[in-house]
């Protein structure tokens, strides 16, 4: 939302009031006419009202800036926490996967050693059979 400049309104003066009253009603006012006191009081109230509005506007802007920063910090903190949880979860999952892989490799190694021992026994048996065949043949 863009700030649009507010149009300047001319201040109400006693001379303007005199001029309007002469134009509309044909009544000239003297300098000590009580109606002009009302104009002066209205101008004072208007000035005080404008001043109060400016103070409130400044307070609202300050509040909005502070609130925006506070909530932006909270969002950043929440995002960081979620990211940390996701990273920690991923690390935990990787550690579990590596542990499972290590267990699988241990089982695979045992199986390979067993097959190697079986192959060695089979090879020794084959050599013994071949040697006994050669011995019996001669």
């Amino acid at each position: 939302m863009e700030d649009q400049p507010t149009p300047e309104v001319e201040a109400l003066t006693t001379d303007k009031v005199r001029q309007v009253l002469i134009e509309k009603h044909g009544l000239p006012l003297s300098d000590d006419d009580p109606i002009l006191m009302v104009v002066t009081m209205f101008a004072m109230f208007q000035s005080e009202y404008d001043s109060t509005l400016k103070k409130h506007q400044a307070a609202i802007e300050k509040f909005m800036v502070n609130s925006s920063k506070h909530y932006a910090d909270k969002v950043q903190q929440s995002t960081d926490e979620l990211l940390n949880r996701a990273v920690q979860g991923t690390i935990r999952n990787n550690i579990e996967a590596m542990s499972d892989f290590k267990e699988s490799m241990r089982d695979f190694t045992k199986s390979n050693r067993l097959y190697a021992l079986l192959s060695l026994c089979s090879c020794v048996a084959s050599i013994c059979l071949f040697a006994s065949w050669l011995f019996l043949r001669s």
Side-chain angles (χ1 to χ4, degrees), residues 57-125:
Q57 180 68 26
I60 288 170
E61 287 175 3
K62 182 179 179 183
F63 172 77
M64 291 302 288
V65 165
N66 290 341
S67 294
S68 297
K69 181 170 177 10
H70 171 75
Y71 290 119
D73 290 346
K74 287 290 186 184
V75 167
Q76 184 64 47
Q77 182 181 5
S78 295
T79 303
D80 291 345
E81 287 176 10
L82 287 172
L83 183 60
N84 285 340
R85 286 183 196 160
V87 168
Q88 290 299 323
T90 302
I91 290 171
R92 208 172 308 114
N93 290 343
N94 287 344
I95 290 172
E96 289 174 9
M98 289 171 64
S99 178
D100 292 344
F101 179 73
K102 184 178 178 181
E103 190 66 34
S104 297
M105 287 303 295
R106 198 174 295 135
D107 292 344
F108 178 74
T109 303
K110 284 180 186 177
S111 298
N112 274 350
R113 286 181 182 159
L114 182 62
Y115 292 138
L117 183 61
L118 187 60
S119 294
L120 179 65
C121 289
S122 178
C123 183
V124 168

Side-chain angles (χ1 to χ4, degrees), residues 23-76:
E23 288 173 6
K24 300 256 181 183
H25 304 285
L27 295 173
L29 297 176
S30 64
D31 287 340
D32 61 351
D33 195 301
I35 298 251
L36 297 178
M37 288 191 300
V38 172
V39 172
T40 303
M41 288 175 23
F42 176 78
M44 287 174 30
F45 288 130
Q46 184 67 37
S47 175
E48 187 65 28
Y49 180 74
D50 289 344
S51 173
T52 302
L53 283 180
K54 286 178 184 172
K55 288 177 187 174
H56 284 193
Q57 180 68 26
I60 288 170
E61 287 175 3
K62 182 179 179 183
F63 172 77
M64 291 302 288
V65 165
N66 290 341
S67 294
S68 297
K69 181 170 177 10
H70 171 75
Y71 290 119
D73 290 346
K74 287 290 186 184
V75 167
Q76 184 64 47

